[in-house]
Amino acid sequence: MRAARLINLVLLLQSRGMMTAAELSAELEVSERTVYRDVLALSAAGVPVYAEQGRAGGYRLVGGYRTRLTGLSRSEAEALFLAGLPGPARDMGLGEPVRAVRRKVLAALPPGLRDATERAGQRFHLDAPGWFADTEPPPVLAELARAVWQDRVLTMRYRRQEEVTRTVEPYGLVLKNGTWYLVGRVGESLRSYRVDRIVAVEPSGHGFDRDPDFDLPSFWAGRAAEFVRQMLRETITLRLSPHGVRMLGFVAEPYAVREAVEAAGEPDPDGWVRTRLPVESIDVAYTYVIRLGPEAEVLEPPDLRARLADAARRLGELYR
């Protein structure tokens, strides 16, 4: 542990030039007293660390000293591809490998490019969770991530209407709009589970052989599309104004919007089109059409049309 910290200290000084004890302490997540001891140990080992006194002082490497200890460990090499996702990587227990690989990459860059990561960080930021969502990671996420990395079988308790127990070969984790999902093989089939509904996990102590043809992004894209298709169990018939057609993309699911656009007939003399829109339920359809306002008219089913007519009457009374 200390050897890795000493290497990281040298890499920090190599990439940033000069740093104070407080800055090193914050980066390495140790006390300043530990930083002082580490600097003495490096000096005793022949690493030319020089301390400059005064307000603008700090530690730096003397004479352009550069270490070649920038090789990546397996965990750091794997974490390299998560370096742009510090929040999700931290939630999966990979915060330190991501920080370590970032330091090593910076140390390997020529001086003229070492500000690249800072420039990018100042200009682009990925905020994965959705609005009004709980940003705390599920308690079992780090344990699941370890099992995914190590290809280890898990026994987990999962909460649906009632609690069930499953033995899973964990193939991957997906972060969708702030919600984590586990993709795993149960028996002969691949399934997905919301991580925040997993009550507890227990490693079985056994490994499994991963299907070499499995591709997580392709699997998830297919499963997500199938989920949306199964969710949209009802269909309504609409007339939409030209503006209503444009607004539909801000109201309904993208899959449903594509279906509606493809099903649209020719515009009438006023530019309105007739189409069919897949929806999750009639209640959801009601909220969609309310948001479209006077840019949409429901033709079928009759119950929904009557419900919206009543809503229009009540709105008229409110704004009379």
Side-chain angles (χ1 to χ4, degrees), residues 273-302:
V273 296
R274 177 176 175 141
T275 190
R276 292 172 63 81
L277 177 70
V279 293
E280 184 177 351
S281 66
I282 297 302
D283 287 340
V284 171
Y286 173 80
T287 64
Y288 285 174
V289 182
I290 284 290
R291 291 169 66 186
L292 291 169
E295 307 302 327
E297 177 191 1
V298 170
L299 303 177
E300 295 177 351

Side-chain angles (χ1 to χ4, degrees), residues 54-135:
R55 177 178 294 181
Y59 294 105
R60 64 180 178 85
L61 297 174
V62 178
Y65 175 87
R66 293 182 64 81
T67 178
R68 295 188 180 275
L69 294 173
T70 54
L72 301 181
S73 68
R74 168 169 287 277
S75 64
E76 291 166 352
E78 292 168 339
L80 175 62
F81 298 96
L82 297 171
L85 300 168
R90 181 187 62 246
D91 293 345
M92 290 190 291
L94 297 172
E96 179 50 38
V98 167
R99 288 191 292 271
V101 75
R102 186 173 179 271
R103 287 191 287 265
K104 291 184 177 182
V105 170
L106 284 173
L109 290 174
L113 296 180
R114 286 182 191 157
D115 67 338
T117 181
E118 183 178 352
R119 283 172 52 82
Q122 290 173 342
R123 290 162 173 79
F124 302 101
H125 174 64
L126 176 61
D127 185 10
W131 292 107
F132 314 114
D134 185 1
T135 58

Side-chain angles (χ1 to χ4, degrees), residues 10-302:
V10 174
L11 292 175
L12 284 168
L13 295 178
Q14 183 174 310
S15 61
R16 301 192 187 180
M18 180 181 291
M19 298 181 68
T20 66
E23 290 170 337
L24 288 167
S25 169
E27 283 285 345
L28 299 173
E29 297 182 348
V30 296
S31 67
E32 291 187 32
R33 184 179 296 275
T34 298
V35 170
Y36 299 144
R37 288 198 297 264
D38 287 350
V39 168
L40 289 174
L42 287 170
S43 297
V47 178
V49 181
Y50 176 72
E52 291 191 3
Q53 305 299 321
R55 177 178 294 181
Y59 294 105
R60 64 180 178 85
L61 297 174
V62 178
Y65 175 87
R66 293 182 64 81
T67 178
R68 295 188 180 275
L69 294 173
T70 54
L72 301 181
S73 68
R74 168 169 287 277
S75 64
E76 291 166 352
E78 292 168 339
L80 175 62
F81 298 96
L82 297 171
L85 300 168
R90 181 187 62 246
D91 293 345
M92 290 190 291
L94 297 172
E96 179 50 38
V98 167
R99 288 191 292 271
V101 75
R102 186 173 179 271
R103 287 191 287 265
K104 291 184 177 182
V105 170
L106 284 173
L109 290 174
L113 296 180
R114 286 182 191 157
D115 67 338
T117 181
E118 183 178 352
R119 283 172 52 82
Q122 290 173 342
R123 290 162 173 79
F124 302 101
H125 174 64
L126 176 61
D127 185 10
W131 292 107
F132 314 114
D134 185 1
T135 58
E136 288 296 319
V140 300
L141 180 60
E143 184 70 31
L144 290 174
R146 281 192 293 273
V148 168
W149 282 116
Q150 299 168 8
D151 293 340
R152 309 298 291 179
V153 179
L154 288 172
T155 299
M156 70 178 191
R157 303 204 323 267
Y158 187 73
R159 185 180 69 253
R160 298 190 300 187
Q161 286 82 6
E162 58 185 21
E163 193 174 293
V164 297
T165 300
R166 295 285 184 266
T167 299
V168 184
E169 297 176 358
Y171 268 55
L173 288 163
V174 176
L175 179 61
K176 170 70 172 177
N177 196 31
T179 300
W180 286 96
Y181 294 86
L182 171 70
V183 175
R185 185 177 295 280
V186 177
E188 296 299 318
S189 62
L190 283 165
R191 304 180 186 179
S192 58
Y193 299 90
R194 276 186 61 138
V195 174
D196 58 5
R197 294 180 183 170
I198 298 176
V199 179
V201 296
E202 182 178 346
S204 68
H206 305 293
F208 67 91
D209 295 323
R210 177 181 291 265
D211 181 354
D213 296 325
F214 175 75
D215 181 75
L216 181 59
S218 298
F219 169 84
W220 183 256
R223 182 58 59 90
E226 180 63 24
F227 174 77
V228 171
R229 284 193 293 269
Q230 292 179 355
M231 182 180 68
L232 303 177
R233 297 185 295 269
E234 305 281 350
T235 302
I236 65 173
T237 303
L238 292 169
R239 285 181 69 241
L240 294 169
S241 72
H243 185 51
V245 173
R246 293 191 294 271
M247 287 177 61
L248 192 62
F250 298 98
V251 170
E253 292 285 341
Y255 171 81
V257 174
R258 288 194 297 271
E259 291 286 307
V261 170
E262 291 175 3
E266 292 296 320
D268 65 16
D270 296 323
W272 286 57
V273 296
R274 177 176 175 141
T275 190
R276 292 172 63 81
L277 177 70
V279 293
E280 184 177 351
S281 66
I282 297 302
D283 287 340
V284 171
Y286 173 80
T287 64
Y288 285 174
V289 182
I290 284 290
R291 291 169 66 186
L292 291 169
E295 307 302 327
E297 177 191 1
V298 170
L299 303 177
E300 295 177 351

